[in-house]
Coordinates of all heavy atoms in Angstrom, one line a residue:
Chain A
R102 N 80.5 92.9 87.4 CA 80.5 94.3 87.1 C 79.0 94.7 86.7 O 78.6 95.9 86.9 CB 81.4 94.6 85.9 CG 82.9 94.5 86.3 CD 83.3 95.6 87.3 NE 82.9 96.9 86.8 CZ 83.7 97.7 86.0 NH1 84.8 97.2 85.6 NH2 83.3 98.9 85.7
Y126 N 83.0 98.9 103.3 CA 81.8 99.8 103.3 C 81.1 99.6 101.9 O 81.7 99.4 100.9 CB 82.3 101.3 103.3 CG 83.4 101.6 104.4 CD1 84.7 101.3 104.1 CD2 83.1 102.1 105.6 CE1 85.7 101.6 105.0 CE2 84.0 102.3 106.5 CZ 85.4 102.1 106.2 OH 86.4 102.3 107.1
Y128 N 78.2 101.4 99.3 CA 77.4 102.6 99.0 C 76.6 102.3 97.7 O 76.9 101.4 96.9 CB 78.4 103.7 98.6 CG 79.2 104.2 99.8 CD1 80.4 103.6 100.2 CD2 78.9 105.4 100.5 CE1 81.2 104.0 101.3 CE2 79.6 105.9 101.6 CZ 80.8 105.2 101.9 OH 81.5 105.6 103.0
Q130 N 74.6 104.3 94.4 CA 74.5 105.5 93.7 C 73.3 105.4 92.7 O 73.4 104.5 91.8 CB 75.8 105.8 92.9 CG 75.7 107.2 92.2 CD 76.9 107.5 91.3 OE1 77.6 106.6 90.9 NE2 77.1 108.7 91.1
E133 N 72.4 110.2 88.5 CA 72.5 111.6 88.7 C 72.6 112.0 90.1 O 72.3 113.2 90.5 CB 71.4 112.4 88.0 CG 71.2 112.1 86.5 CD 72.5 112.3 85.7 OE1 73.2 113.4 86.0 OE2 72.8 111.5 84.8
E134 N 72.9 111.1 91.0 CA 73.0 111.5 92.4 C 74.4 111.1 92.9 O 75.2 110.4 92.3 CB 72.0 110.7 93.2 CG 70.5 111.2 92.9 CD 69.5 110.5 93.9 OE1 70.0 109.9 94.9 OE2 68.3 110.6 93.6
G135 N 74.7 111.5 94.1 CA 75.9 111.1 94.8 C 75.8 109.8 95.4 O 74.7 109.2 95.4
L136 N 76.9 109.3 96.0 CA 76.9 108.0 96.6 C 76.2 108.1 98.0 O 76.5 109.0 98.7 CB 78.3 107.4 96.7 CG 78.9 106.8 95.5 CD1 79.3 107.9 94.5 CD2 80.2 106.0 95.9
K137 N 75.4 107.1 98.4 CA 74.8 107.0 99.7 C 75.3 105.8 100.5 O 75.3 104.7 100.0 CB 73.3 106.9 99.5 CG 72.6 108.1 98.8 CD 72.5 109.3 99.7 CE 71.5 110.4 99.2 NZ 72.0 111.0 97.9
F138 N 75.7 106.1 101.7 CA 76.2 105.0 102.6 C 75.1 104.0 102.9 O 74.0 104.4 103.1 CB 76.7 105.7 103.9 CG 77.0 104.7 105.0 CD1 78.2 104.0 105.0 CD2 76.1 104.4 105.9 CE1 78.5 103.1 106.0 CE2 76.4 103.5 107.0 CZ 77.6 102.8 107.0
Y141 N 78.7 99.4 107.0 CA 80.1 99.4 107.3 C 80.3 98.1 108.1 O 79.7 97.8 109.1 CB 80.5 100.6 108.2 CG 81.8 100.6 108.9 CD1 82.9 99.9 108.5 CD2 81.9 101.3 110.1 CE1 84.1 99.9 109.2 CE2 83.1 101.3 110.8 CZ 84.2 100.6 110.3 OH 85.4 100.6 111.0
D149 N 78.0 99.3 111.4 CA 77.0 100.3 111.2 C 76.1 100.0 110.0 O 76.7 99.9 108.9 CB 77.6 101.7 111.0 CG 76.7 102.9 110.9 OD1 75.5 102.6 110.6 OD2 77.1 104.0 111.0
S151 N 73.1 101.7 109.3 CA 72.1 102.7 109.4 C 71.6 103.1 108.0 O 70.5 103.7 107.9 CB 72.6 103.9 110.2 OG 73.8 104.4 109.5
F184 N 78.7 100.4 95.0 CA 80.1 100.5 95.2 C 80.5 100.0 96.6 O 79.9 100.2 97.6 CB 80.6 101.9 95.0 CG 80.4 102.4 93.6 CD1 79.3 103.2 93.3 CD2 81.4 102.2 92.7 CE1 79.1 103.7 92.0 CE2 81.2 102.7 91.4 CZ 80.1 103.4 91.1
R190 N 92.0 100.9 108.3 CA 91.7 101.1 109.7 C 90.3 101.8 109.8 O 89.7 102.2 108.8 CB 92.7 102.0 110.3 CG 93.0 103.3 109.6 CD 94.0 104.1 110.2 NE 94.3 105.3 109.5 CZ 95.0 106.3 109.9 NH1 95.5 106.3 111.1 NH2 95.2 107.4 109.1
G191 N 89.8 101.9 111.0 CA 88.5 102.5 111.2 C 88.7 103.9 111.7 O 89.0 104.8 111.1
V192 N 88.4 104.0 113.0 CA 88.5 105.3 113.7 C 89.9 105.9 113.7 O 90.9 105.1 113.9 CB 88.0 105.2 115.2 CG1 88.1 106.5 115.9 CG2 86.5 104.7 115.2
V193 N 90.0 107.1 113.4 CA 91.3 107.8 113.4 C 91.3 108.8 114.5 O 90.2 109.3 114.9 CB 91.6 108.5 112.0 CG1 91.8 107.4 110.9 CG2 90.5 109.4 111.6
P195 N 92.3 112.6 116.3 CA 92.1 114.0 115.9 C 93.1 114.4 114.9 O 94.3 114.2 115.0 CB 92.3 114.7 117.2 CG 92.1 113.8 118.3 CD 92.5 112.4 117.8
G196 N 92.6 115.0 113.8 CA 93.5 115.4 112.7 C 93.8 114.4 111.7 O 94.4 114.6 110.7
G197 N 93.3 113.1 112.0 CA 93.6 112.1 111.1 C 92.5 111.9 110.0 O 91.4 112.5 110.1
V198 N 92.9 111.2 109.0 CA 91.9 111.0 107.8 C 91.9 109.5 107.5 O 93.0 108.9 107.3 CB 92.3 111.8 106.6 CG1 91.4 111.5 105.4 CG2 92.3 113.3 106.9
N199 N 90.7 108.9 107.4 CA 90.6 107.5 107.0 C 90.2 107.5 105.6 O 89.0 107.7 105.3 CB 89.6 106.8 107.9 CG 89.4 105.4 107.6 OD1 90.4 104.7 107.1 ND2 88.3 104.8 107.8
I200 N 91.1 107.2 104.7 CA 90.8 107.2 103.2 C 90.1 105.8 102.9 O 90.6 104.8 103.2 CB 92.0 107.4 102.4 CG1 92.7 108.7 102.8 CG2 91.7 107.3 100.9 CD1 94.0 108.9 102.2
Q201 N 89.0 105.9 102.2 CA 88.3 104.8 101.7 C 88.6 104.7 100.2 O 88.5 105.6 99.5 CB 86.8 104.9 101.9 CG 86.4 104.9 103.4 CD 84.9 105.0 103.6 OE1 84.1 104.6 102.7 NE2 84.5 105.3 104.8
Y202 N 89.0 103.5 99.8 CA 89.4 103.2 98.4 C 88.2 102.4 97.8 O 87.8 101.3 98.3 CB 90.7 102.4 98.3 CG 91.8 103.3 98.9 CD1 92.2 103.2 100.2 CD2 92.5 104.1 98.1 CE1 93.2 104.0 100.7 CE2 93.6 104.9 98.6 CZ 93.9 104.8 99.9 OH 94.9 105.6 100.4
F203 N 87.8 102.8 96.6 CA 86.6 102.2 96.0 C 86.9 101.2 94.9 O 87.9 101.3 94.2 CB 85.7 103.3 95.4 CG 84.9 104.1 96.5 CD1 85.5 105.1 97.2 CD2 83.6 103.7 96.7 CE1 84.8 105.7 98.2 CE2 82.9 104.4 97.7 CZ 83.5 105.4 98.4
G204 N 86.0 100.2 94.8 CA 86.0 99.4 93.6 C 85.3 100.0 92.5 O 84.8 101.1 92.5
A205 N 85.3 99.2 91.4 CA 84.7 99.7 90.1 C 83.1 99.7 90.1 O 82.5 100.3 89.3 CB 85.2 99.0 88.9
R208 N 76.8 97.3 88.6 CA 75.6 97.9 88.1 C 74.5 96.9 88.0 O 74.5 96.0 87.2 CB 75.9 98.6 86.7 CG 76.5 99.9 86.9 CD 77.6 100.2 85.9 NE 78.4 101.4 86.3 CZ 79.4 101.4 87.1 NH1 79.9 100.3 87.5 NH2 80.0 102.5 87.4
Chain B
Q206 N 70.3 117.4 102.7 CA 71.5 117.3 102.0 C 72.6 118.0 102.8 O 72.7 119.2 102.8 CB 71.4 117.9 100.6 CG 72.5 117.7 99.7 CD 72.5 116.3 99.2 OE1 71.5 115.6 99.0 NE2 73.7 115.8 98.8
D235 N 84.6 115.6 110.5 CA 86.0 115.5 111.0 C 87.0 115.8 109.9 O 88.1 116.3 110.1 CB 86.3 114.1 111.6 CG 85.7 113.9 112.9 OD1 85.6 115.0 113.6 OD2 85.4 112.8 113.3
Y236 N 86.7 115.3 108.7 CA 87.6 115.5 107.5 C 86.8 115.4 106.3 O 85.7 114.9 106.2 CB 88.7 114.5 107.6 CG 88.4 113.0 107.7 CD1 88.0 112.3 106.5 CD2 88.4 112.4 108.9 CE1 87.7 110.9 106.6 CE2 88.1 111.1 109.0 CZ 87.7 110.3 107.9 OH 87.4 109.0 108.0
F237 N 87.4 115.8 105.2 CA 86.8 115.9 103.9 C 87.7 115.3 102.8 O 89.0 115.3 103.0 CB 86.5 117.4 103.5 CG 85.7 118.1 104.5 CD1 86.3 118.7 105.6 CD2 84.3 118.2 104.4 CE1 85.5 119.4 106.6 CE2 83.6 118.8 105.4 CZ 84.2 119.4 106.5
L238 N 87.1 114.7 101.8 CA 87.9 114.1 100.8 C 87.3 114.5 99.4 O 86.0 114.7 99.3 CB 87.8 112.5 100.9 CG 88.2 111.9 102.2 CD1 87.0 111.6 103.1 CD2 89.0 110.6 102.0
Y240 N 87.0 113.0 95.5 CA 87.1 111.9 94.6 C 86.8 112.3 93.2 O 86.0 113.2 92.9 CB 86.1 110.7 95.0 CG 86.5 110.0 96.3 CD1 86.0 110.5 97.5 CD2 87.2 108.8 96.3 CE1 86.3 109.8 98.7 CE2 87.5 108.1 97.4 CZ 87.1 108.6 98.6 OH 87.4 107.9 99.8
K242 N 85.7 110.7 89.4 CA 85.0 109.5 88.9 C 84.8 109.6 87.4 O 84.2 110.5 86.9 CB 83.7 109.3 89.6 CG 83.0 108.0 89.2 CD 81.7 107.8 89.9 CE 81.0 106.5 89.6 NZ 80.8 106.3 88.1
P244 N 83.2 107.7 83.9 CA 82.0 106.8 83.7 C 82.3 105.3 83.8 O 83.4 104.9 83.4 CB 81.6 107.2 82.2 CG 82.2 108.5 82.0 CD 83.5 108.6 82.8
A245 N 81.4 104.6 84.4 CA 81.5 103.2 84.5 C 82.7 102.7 85.4 O 83.2 101.6 85.3 CB 81.6 102.5 83.2
E246 N 83.3 103.6 86.1 CA 84.4 103.3 87.1 C 84.0 103.7 88.5 O 83.1 104.5 88.7 CB 85.7 103.9 86.6 CG 86.2 103.4 85.3 CD 87.6 104.0 85.0 OE1 88.2 104.6 85.9 OE2 88.1 103.9 83.9
G247 N 84.8 103.2 89.4 CA 84.6 103.7 90.8 C 85.3 105.0 91.1 O 86.1 105.4 90.4
P248 N 84.9 105.7 92.2 CA 85.5 106.9 92.6 C 87.0 106.7 92.9 O 87.3 105.6 93.6 CB 84.7 107.4 93.8 CG 83.4 106.6 93.7 CD 83.7 105.3 93.1
T249 N 87.8 107.5 92.5 CA 89.3 107.5 92.8 C 89.6 108.6 93.7 O 89.3 109.8 93.4 CB 90.1 107.6 91.5 OG1 89.7 106.6 90.6 CG2 91.6 107.5 91.8
F250 N 90.3 108.2 94.8 CA 90.6 109.2 95.8 C 91.7 110.2 95.2 O 92.6 109.8 94.6 CB 91.3 108.6 97.0 CG 91.9 109.5 98.0 CD1 91.2 110.4 98.8 CD2 93.3 109.6 98.1 CE1 91.8 111.3 99.6 CE2 93.9 110.5 99.0 CZ 93.1 111.3 99.7
S253 N 92.7 114.9 100.5 CA 91.8 115.0 101.7 C 92.3 116.2 102.5 O 93.4 116.8 102.3 CB 91.9 113.8 102.5 OG 93.3 113.6 103.0
I254 N 91.5 116.6 103.5 CA 91.9 117.6 104.4 C 91.2 117.4 105.7 O 89.9 117.1 105.8 CB 91.5 119.0 103.9 CG1 92.1 120.1 104.8 CG2 90.0 119.3 103.7 CD1 92.2 121.5 104.2
S255 N 91.9 117.5 106.8 CA 91.4 117.3 108.1 C 90.7 118.7 108.5 O 91.1 119.7 108.1 CB 92.5 117.0 109.1 OG 92.1 117.2 110.4
I257 N 91.1 120.3 111.1 CA 92.0 121.1 111.9 C 92.9 121.9 111.0 O 93.7 122.7 111.5 CB 92.8 120.3 112.9 CG1 93.8 119.4 112.2 CG2 91.9 119.6 113.9 CD1 94.7 118.7 113.2
F293 N 83.5 114.4 93.2 CA 82.7 114.4 94.4 C 83.4 114.9 95.6 O 84.6 114.5 95.8 CB 82.2 112.9 94.6 CG 81.2 112.4 93.6 CD1 81.7 111.6 92.6 CD2 79.9 112.7 93.7 CE1 80.7 111.1 91.6 CE2 79.0 112.2 92.8 CZ 79.4 111.4 91.8
G300 N 83.3 110.9 112.6 CA 84.1 109.7 113.0 C 83.3 108.4 112.9 O 83.9 107.4 113.3
A301 N 82.2 108.4 112.2 CA 81.4 107.2 112.1 C 81.9 106.3 111.0 O 81.3 105.2 110.8 CB 79.9 107.5 112.0
Q302 N 82.9 106.8 110.3 CA 83.4 106.0 109.2 C 82.4 105.8 108.0 O 82.5 104.9 107.2 CB 83.9 104.6 109.6 CG 84.9 104.7 110.8 CD 86.0 105.7 110.6 OE1 86.6 105.8 109.6 NE2 86.2 106.6 111.6
K303 N 81.4 106.7 107.9 CA 80.5 106.6 106.8 C 80.6 108.0 106.1 O 80.4 109.0 106.7 CB 79.1 106.3 107.2 CG 78.5 107.2 108.2 CD 77.1 106.6 108.6 CE 76.4 107.4 109.6 NZ 75.1 106.8 110.1
L304 N 80.9 107.9 104.8 CA 81.1 109.2 104.1 C 79.8 109.7 103.6 O 78.9 108.9 103.1 CB 82.0 109.0 102.9 CG 83.5 108.6 103.3 CD1 84.3 108.3 102.0 CD2 84.1 109.6 104.1
V305 N 79.6 111.0 103.7 CA 78.5 111.7 103.1 C 78.9 112.4 101.9 O 79.9 113.3 101.9 CB 77.9 112.7 104.1 CG1 76.7 113.4 103.6 CG2 77.5 112.0 105.4
F306 N 78.3 112.1 100.7 CA 78.8 112.6 99.5 C 77.9 113.8 99.0 O 76.7 113.8 99.2 CB 78.7 111.5 98.4 CG 79.9 110.6 98.4 CD1 80.0 109.6 99.3 CD2 81.0 110.8 97.6 CE1 81.0 108.7 99.4 CE2 82.1 109.9 97.6 CZ 82.1 108.9 98.5
G307 N 78.5 114.7 98.2 CA 77.8 115.7 97.5 C 77.3 115.0 96.2 O 77.6 113.9 95.9
Q308 N 76.5 115.8 95.4 CA 75.9 115.3 94.2 C 76.9 115.2 93.0 O 76.6 114.5 92.0 CB 74.7 116.1 93.7 CG 73.7 116.4 94.8 CD 74.0 117.8 95.5 OE1 75.1 118.0 96.0 NE2 72.9 118.6 95.6
G309 N 78.0 115.8 93.1 CA 79.0 115.8 92.1 C 79.0 117.0 91.2 O 77.9 117.6 91.0
R311 N 80.4 117.8 87.2 CA 81.1 117.3 86.0 C 82.0 118.4 85.4 O 81.5 119.5 85.0 CB 80.0 116.9 85.0 CG 80.6 116.3 83.7 CD 79.5 115.9 82.7 NE 78.5 115.0 83.4 CZ 78.7 113.7 83.5 NH1 79.8 113.1 83.0 NH2 77.8 112.9 84.1

Side-chain angles (χ1 to χ4, degrees):
Chain A
R102 291 292 309 274
Y126 317 82
Y128 293 82
Q130 184 185 25
E133 304 304 321
E134 292 188 12
L136 283 71
K137 298 283 196 295
F138 169 81
Y141 163 31
D149 182 346
S151 59
F184 293 97
R190 53 183 176 166
V192 177
V193 295
V198 175
N199 181 29
I200 299 169
Q201 296 182 18
Y202 297 90
F203 283 81
R208 275 141 192 90
Chain B
Q206 191 71 30
D235 286 332
Y236 53 84
F237 304 86
L238 308 97
Y240 287 88
K242 186 179 181 303
E246 294 186 12
T249 300
F250 168 73
S253 64
I254 187 165
S255 164
I257 65 172
F293 289 99
Q302 310 310 313
K303 55 185 180 186
L304 296 179
V305 181
F306 281 81
Q308 309 95 307
R311 184 178 303 277

